[in-house]
Amino acid sequence: MDKGFDFYAPQTYLDHQGRRIMLGWLGNSKSKYPTDKNGWAHMLTIPRES
C-alpha cells in the first residue's frame, strides 16, 4: 500500500512513549471517488509505528 504514487507526503512524529509514528496521504487522482461531488477525495493512512 505504501508503494507508488498513491502514497505520498508522509509525516512522522514522536508520541508520548517515544515511538516514531507515521501517517501518509493516500489517493489516486485518476480514480473516481464517491466524495468527488462534495469537493474532496483521498484520505490519510492508518497511523503506524515506523
Side-chain angles (χ1 to χ4, degrees), residues 3 5-6 11-12 14 16 20-23 28-29 31 35 37 40 50:
K3 297 183 189 253
F5 296 107
D6 297 344
Q11 301 286 310
T12 68
L14 288 176
H16 66 283
R20 176 71 53 190
I21 306 298
M22 180 178 70
L23 292 138
N28 184 334
S29 60
S31 296
T35 55
K37 64 183 179 217
W40 61 273
S50 61

Side-chain angles (χ1 to χ4, degrees), residues 29-48:
S29 60
K30 295 179 179 159
S31 296
K32 298 284 185 189
Y33 293 95
T35 55
D36 286 343
K37 64 183 179 217
N38 303 112
W40 61 273
H42 307 171
M43 63 187 143
L44 289 174
T45 60
I46 296 171
R48 63 212 178 260

